[in-house]
């Protein structure tokens, strides 16, 4: 077994361990009598997510939740890219959705100001209800994760992901959808994610192997590609290793050029893996034979893989959150092996601005 207890104390470690309590609080606050009790407007034809950094990865997952669960048209854009087009038309039928852990992220604040100036409708998801973005948005939701001292976002990211999942469910139920199946298996979310933190297998061995590399890719399909992007960012932020994320299928289109006899790939896949994805993974293994570290809940995984294995859950959202948590722990352990300061990485600060 490899867990987080033997890592040196840090704010990042403490905040990783706080996540199950954040999840439990959000579930208890927003789920009442088999329904999601939240405030989210239902009269918009599209939701456009605008965010930066980890918040952008959070938005990418939110986009999938709203399209797949609520069947609502969505789009997403980096805050800086949104600001680059000052002449853009603001559609009154679109809800512009801003995500920021601090609520003070400079480029996201500028994007919010642009929409407000042109009379657009805005929603804020932040981890600080005394912030510029929260106070200057028409609709709003607090992530409720508490103060985050480590520069690398952990609990504010996963708390934001869970909030977006809840809002997508709320949007679906207002359109008459039955959300019972989504709520069925999350009652033990705190215990389930605590178990992931304490009992994930082979994470120490994976961290040891990856800490010796100067670069490696992380690949995943659909939700797992976005999770791979967040994991890559966490490892870059804390260990300064050049880690990049790719969609599993897209990795075959040119990106395999980076593979050589010393290559290692981190793959994220779950028990509900589809036939197309499985065949793609098999092709990568057959054609290039990289060393594979699999983050997975699959029983009897390929013996050639080093499987960072966690418990299988019926709930898709718990499975996703578990994969994120494992990548956070992996980033922490890699950084510790390299003697990095995980709470204050070189050259990094929370990107905020003056009110």
């Amino acid at each position: 077994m490899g867990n987080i207890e033997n890592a040196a104390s840090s704010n990042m470690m403490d905040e990783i361990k706080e996540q199950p309590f954040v999840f439990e609080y959000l579930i208890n606050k927003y789920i009442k009598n088999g329904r999601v009790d939240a405030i989210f407007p239902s009269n918009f034809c599209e939701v456009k997510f605008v965010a930066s950094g980890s918040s952008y990865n959070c938005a990418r997952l939110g986009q999938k939740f709203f399209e797949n669960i609520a069947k609502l048209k969505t789009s997403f854009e980096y805050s800086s890219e949104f600001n680059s087009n000052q002449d853009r038309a603001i559609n009154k039928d679109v809800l512009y959705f801003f995500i920021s852990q601090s609520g003070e992220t400079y480029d996201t604040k500028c994007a919010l100001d642009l929409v407000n100036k042109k009379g657009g409708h805005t929603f804020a998801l932040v981890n600080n209800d005394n912030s510029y973005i929260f106070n200057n948005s028409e609709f709003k939701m607090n992530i409720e994760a508490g103060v985050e001292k480590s520069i690398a976002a952990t609990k504010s990211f996963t708390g934001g992901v869970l909030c977006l999942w809840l809002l997508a469910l709320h949007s679906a139920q207002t359109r008459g959808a039955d959300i019972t199946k989504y709520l069925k298996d999350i009652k033990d979310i705190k215990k389930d994610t605590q178990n992931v933190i304490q009992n994930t297998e082979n994470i120490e061995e994976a961290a040891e192997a990856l800490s010796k590399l100067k670069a490696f890719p992380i690949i995943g399909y659909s939700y797992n590609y976005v999770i791979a992007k967040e994991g890559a960012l966490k490892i870059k932020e804390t260990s300064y290793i050049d880690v990049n994320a790719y969609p599993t299928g897209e990795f075959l289109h040119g990106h395999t050029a980076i593979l050589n006899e010393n290559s290692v790939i981190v793959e994220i896949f779950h028990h509900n893996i589809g036939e197309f994805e499985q065949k793609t993974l098999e092709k990568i293994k057959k054609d290039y034979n990289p060393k594979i570290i699999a983050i997975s809940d699959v029983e009897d995984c390929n013996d050639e893989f080093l499987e960072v294995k966690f418990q299988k859950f019926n709930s898709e959202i718990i499975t996703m959150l578990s994969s994120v948590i494992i990548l956070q722990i992996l980033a922490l352990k890699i950084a510790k092996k390299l003697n990095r300061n995980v709470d204050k990485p070189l050259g990094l600060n929370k990107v905020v601005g003056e009110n």
Side-chain angles (χ1 to χ4, degrees):
M1 295 289 182
N3 58 45
I4 200 170
E5 293 299 335
N6 59 354
S9 178
S10 64
N11 289 327
M12 184 177 176
M13 182 184 78
D14 292 340
E15 287 159 7
I16 288 172
K17 292 165 70 174
E18 288 170 12
Q19 290 174 109
F21 297 91
V22 175
F23 303 154
E24 181 185 52
Y25 179 85
L26 290 170
I27 292 299
N28 289 339
K29 178 174 181 178
Y30 289 109
I31 297 179
K32 307 290 184 185
N33 301 316
R35 294 180 62 81
V36 178
D37 183 14
I39 297 174
F40 188 80
S42 59
N43 56 329
F44 293 97
C45 66
E46 178 184 347
V47 174
K48 184 174 186 64
F49 292 99
V50 182
S52 303
S54 283
S55 292
Y56 178 79
N57 294 332
C58 185
R60 290 287 301 269
L61 289 174
Q63 179 264 336
K64 289 183 177 295
F65 295 151
F66 273 87
E67 284 205 341
N68 295 341
I69 298 173
K71 311 302 180 186
L72 184 63
K73 181 182 177 182
T74 59
S75 57
F76 49 86
E77 193 168 355
Y78 284 109
S79 301
S80 56
E81 289 296 306
F82 190 91
N83 291 320
S84 70
N85 182 5
Q86 292 287 315
D87 295 327
R88 75 168 65 235
I90 299 301
N91 190 333
K92 300 295 179 64
D93 294 324
V94 173
L95 180 65
Y96 295 85
F97 197 120
F98 299 90
I99 305 176
S100 165
Q101 277 98 27
S102 66
E104 300 289 348
T105 309
Y106 177 70
D107 47 5
T108 307
K109 286 167 60 174
C110 292
L112 171 66
D113 287 343
L114 178 60
V115 176
N116 279 335
K117 181 180 179 181
K118 296 186 177 183
H121 297 284
T122 58
F123 193 108
L125 178 65
V126 302
N127 193 40
N128 178 4
D129 60 7
N130 184 27
S131 62
Y132 185 93
I133 293 173
F134 189 90
N135 290 328
N136 287 277
S137 296
E138 183 178 359
F139 306 99
K140 56 202 73 179
M141 186 177 191
N142 190 345
I143 296 171
E144 310 275 9
V147 175
E148 196 167 53
K149 296 179 181 178
S150 180
I151 285 178
T154 52
K155 62 180 182 174
S156 64
F157 174 80
T158 52
V161 170
L162 185 55
C163 285
L164 288 170
W165 184 75
L166 290 167
L167 289 175
L169 289 177
H170 180 272
S171 182
Q173 78 184 11
T174 60
R175 290 168 166 77
D178 182 1
I179 64 170
T180 305
K181 65 178 181 178
Y182 295 100
L183 302 181
K184 180 181 176 182
D185 300 308
I186 60 166
K187 64 181 186 307
D188 295 322
I189 190 170
K190 174 184 162 185
K191 181 183 73 174
D192 289 341
T193 49
Q194 282 179 324
N195 185 61
V196 169
I197 291 171
Q198 296 300 326
N199 297 305
T200 296
E201 298 178 8
N202 298 323
I203 198 163
E204 197 72 43
E205 294 87 340
E208 180 67 29
L210 294 172
S211 68
K212 297 175 182 177
L213 304 175
K214 293 183 178 180
F216 61 88
I218 307 179
I219 63 174
Y221 178 76
S222 187
Y223 289 109
N224 286 336
Y225 165 55
V226 185
I227 291 170
K229 283 176 63 66
E230 176 61 15
L233 179 60
K234 283 292 153 288
I235 296 169
K236 280 181 180 177
E237 287 177 328
T238 55
S239 296
Y240 324 141
I241 296 174
D242 184 17
V243 186
N244 292 289
Y246 304 90
T248 299
E250 183 63 19
F251 189 68
L252 290 170
H253 296 281
H255 304 294
T256 48
I258 67 174
L259 298 179
N260 54 54
E261 66 274 11
N262 298 315
S263 290
V264 176
I265 292 179
V266 177
E267 295 180 353
I268 308 171
F269 60 91
H270 300 144
H271 64 273
N272 57 355
I273 183 172
E275 182 181 0
F276 175 79
E277 182 183 6
Q278 190 164 357
K279 287 182 176 179
T280 303
L281 295 177
E282 290 170 356
K283 181 173 177 58
I284 291 172
K285 178 64 179 172
K286 178 177 178 292
D287 291 355
Y288 302 97
N289 196 33
K291 298 174 184 176
I292 293 176
I293 295 175
I295 297 175
S296 178
D297 62 355
V298 174
E299 294 287 344
D300 302 320
C301 193
N302 191 314
D303 291 337
E304 297 179 359
F305 295 0
L306 173 59
E307 186 183 14
V308 181
K309 186 169 181 289
F310 63 98
Q311 177 184 346
K312 176 183 173 182
F313 300 109
N314 293 324
S315 168
E316 186 177 52
I317 186 65
I318 295 179
T319 300
M320 281 189 270
L321 292 171
S322 297
S323 294
V324 175
I325 290 170
I326 288 168
L327 284 164
Q328 292 171 351
I329 298 172
L330 190 60
L332 172 66
K333 286 182 173 289
I334 293 170
K336 289 296 184 181
K337 290 181 183 297
L338 295 171
N339 295 314
R340 312 298 195 209
N341 184 339
V342 294
D343 290 333
K344 295 182 179 180
L346 292 174
L348 289 179
N349 292 290
K350 293 283 188 183
V351 182
V352 300
E354 297 297 327
N355 280 343

